[in-house]
Amino acid sequence: MMQTLLESKTMQAALEYLKEDDARTLKEHLELVAIPAPSNHEELRAKDMLRRFTELGLEDVHMDEVGNVLGTVKGKLGSPVVMLAGHLDTVFPASVDLTPKIIDGIVHAPGITDDTRALAELLTIVRAIKETGITPIGDLVFCANVGEEGLGDLRGVKHIFGKKNNIDAFISIDNPKIGAVVNKGIGSYRYRFNFIARGGHSFSDFGQPSAIHALGIAIAKIAQFKVPQFPKTTYNVGVVEGGTSVNTIAAKASFRLDIRSDSQEELKRFSSLAIEAAQEAVEEENRLRPHEDKAKVIVEQIGDRPSGTQPDDCLIVNIASAAIMAMGLKAEVRPSSSTDANVPISLGIPAITVGCGGRSGGSHTEQEWFDPKDAYKGPQKNLLMVMAMVGMDGVQEAMMPKFKS
Ligand SMILES: [Zn+2]
């Protein structure tokens, strides 16, 4: 089936088009990377994508309530509905210089691969479909979404899947390996534990409960948690803040905890354990230094990325792998990671994260680089993949069924 689609005249023309469009795609890629888009402040880059989607003649182009940019290539039957996405945001604050520098053919710019490359691939794929007259059977929705990185907390896709929708499959282009297929989402819950006490002078107020002492007892308890190996579950206290001076009993202290797991149950279980540990720590501190002004703890959730798994041989993985192999590339079903696909996976909607073209390194650092040599192979593979899922009029039926919840 994949072979029929690949060898069809229209698909061959589209693949050839993508190769010829490579230089233009790189030009757009460099334009996009220079537009700052820190998580929660993606407006400039979003507006730019909105303009490009409109100019390409996508249908129903719009920016939704949270800033995701969407546009559709309508299919003959309008079903199934497959969404192909790349995220707008980067981990870099607006102050970072984003001007791309090309040295020996390698492009250096923060965010050049993660995930600006995906945005450029969306554009060239739309052009290839329009220019070669491909008619899909189902609808293909292109999405440049906000809020994938840490501080974004997947808010873009959470919004899309949090309301009524008719999406039958979701594919995010967000992996540096061209043959990558990620079908499991590591979830994470993140918390800030805020310890509060009255505080005072270290000598004259000695005996008052201390926010820092209570925090120390809590971390000592959490550090002894035993986690299961399967489903892999981890935790980390990554940031500690608090106190004002060495001779002040601290009135305020806080730490941030990250819990990760493939399993939603384990995320919940370790969250409860950590909250209990913090409450016990405060009680211990109040017992050690009994005083009418008691120490207390306020727990604030600062991150919620749902987790979920799909079998390695489920339909969406098989279609993706078949498309990768049909293009002469090596398919690699990769270990779980935390991406936009987490959200649909957690809801049972078929979803994967796949690779882009080119070679790259230095993700999430200001030294991030991208080698555009043969990068067109990424959009070629991704076009074949989504057309297999959504079907191509007169050539191949949609391989992805309608999702039934
Ligand atoms: Zn990314």
Side-chain angles (χ1 to χ4, degrees):
M1 290 193 289
M2 193 61 74
Q3 219 53 34
T4 317
L5 180 63
L6 175 65
E7 285 163 12
S8 70
K9 248 175 129 179
T10 324
M11 181 54 73
Q12 282 300 314
L15 298 180
E16 190 52 39
Y17 181 91
L18 287 167
K19 189 174 178 182
E20 282 162 17
D21 200 46
D22 192 42
R24 179 165 169 183
T25 302
L26 181 61
K27 182 176 164 280
E28 290 180 329
H29 185 181
L30 299 187
E31 288 163 5
L32 283 162
V33 81
I35 307 171
S39 304
N40 303 328
H41 298 284
E42 299 94 342
E43 304 82 2
L44 285 177
R45 197 179 280 196
K47 278 194 185 137
D48 190 77
M49 283 299 282
L50 188 71
R51 176 182 59 82
R52 292 175 194 268
F53 275 8
T54 309
E55 285 172 5
L56 285 172
L58 283 172
E59 291 177 69
D60 193 20
V61 175
H62 67 284
M63 190 184 287
D64 71 13
E65 297 87 339
V66 299
N68 298 312
V69 177
L70 300 133
T72 303
V73 174
K74 289 264 202 285
K76 198 177 173 195
L77 300 180
S79 170
V81 177
V82 174
M83 181 176 277
L84 183 64
H87 64 85
L88 289 160
D89 61 322
T90 73
V91 296
F92 305 102
S95 56
V96 171
D97 180 12
L98 302 172
T99 318
K101 290 171 193 68
I102 304 178
I103 306 164
D104 298 330
I106 310 279
V107 189
H108 299 260
I112 188 73
T113 309
D114 183 9
D115 199 20
T116 317
R117 175 65 198 173
L119 302 178
E121 292 197 6
L122 296 183
L123 300 175
T124 187
I125 290 172
V126 175
R127 260 197 304 276
I129 291 173
K130 294 278 178 191
E131 294 296 320
T132 56
I134 288 180
T135 309
I137 292 171
D139 283 354
L140 194 48
V141 184
F142 291 83
C143 170
N145 63 274
V146 297
E148 192 276 341
E149 299 291 359
L151 294 172
D153 206 27
L154 309 184
R155 75 187 173 97
V157 281
K158 276 182 185 169
H159 178 78
I160 291 169
F161 288 99
K163 59 179 186 184
K164 201 172 169 305
N165 67 80
N166 57 354
I167 302 162
D168 300 303
F170 174 88
I171 301 136
S172 165
I173 306 172
D174 192 9
N175 192 287
K177 290 230 170 199
I178 190 166
V181 182
V182 181
N183 61 328
K184 296 181 177 70
I186 306 177
S188 66
Y189 283 179
R190 291 171 182 164
Y191 298 92
R192 187 185 290 118
F193 288 77
N194 302 294
F195 294 83
I196 299 153
R198 198 177 77 118
H201 191 279
S202 64
F203 189 74
S204 56
D205 293 316
F206 185 70
Q208 284 268 10
S210 153
I212 288 185
H213 288 209
L215 170 144
I217 299 168
I219 295 176
K221 286 178 187 291
I222 290 171
Q224 297 187 42
F225 285 175
K226 297 268 180 295
V227 289
Q229 230 178 333
F230 303 102
K232 184 171 175 177
T233 304
T234 65
Y235 61 86
N236 180 56
V237 175
V239 178
V240 172
E241 289 162 311
T244 46
S245 78
V246 69
N247 55 350
T248 304
I249 297 168
K252 273 188 201 162
S254 70
F255 69 82
R256 281 180 248 173
L257 174 71
D258 168 79
I259 304 169
R260 294 183 178 228
S261 181
D262 291 343
S263 143
Q264 203 77 17
E265 274 70 62
E266 295 300 321
L267 285 178
K268 287 189 185 142
R269 191 161 75 87
F270 279 94
S271 296
S272 307
L273 287 174
I275 293 165
E276 262 169 49
Q279 274 152 357
E280 282 169 21
V282 165
E283 282 163 26
E284 278 181 40
E285 174 64 5
N286 286 329
R287 266 202 304 278
L288 288 165
R289 277 167 274 275
H291 201 278
E292 58 197 74
D293 289 314
K294 292 193 187 329
K296 61 178 181 182
V297 60
I298 296 168
V299 186
E300 193 189 340
Q301 185 160 13
I302 54 172
D304 170 6
R305 294 175 169 242
S307 65
T309 59
Q310 300 164 118
D312 285 350
D313 63 350
C314 66
L315 183 63
I316 192 166
V317 172
N318 288 344
I319 298 171
S321 303
I324 292 164
M325 289 186 293
M327 293 304 295
L329 302 162
K330 193 167 159 267
E332 299 175 69
V333 179
R334 315 267 316 157
S336 43
S337 64
S338 178
T339 65
D340 280 326
N342 277 41
V343 175
I345 293 173
S346 77
L347 298 169
I349 299 170
I352 46 175
T353 295
V354 299
C356 62
R359 283 188 320 121
S360 59
S363 175
H364 287 200
T365 74
E366 291 183 33
Q367 285 71 46
E368 190 171 352
W369 58 270
F370 179 76
D371 179 356
K373 188 171 179 292
D374 295 340
Y376 63 89
K377 290 183 178 173
Q380 282 186 332
K381 177 263 301 178
N382 288 329
L383 174 69
L384 182 68
M385 183 181 292
V386 292
M387 290 314 300
M389 291 182 192
V390 87
M392 195 156 111
D393 189 32
V395 179
Q396 172 65 52
E397 283 179 13
M399 293 187 193
M400 223 44 228
K402 269 217 82 57
F403 171 71
K404 287 185 203 74
S405 59

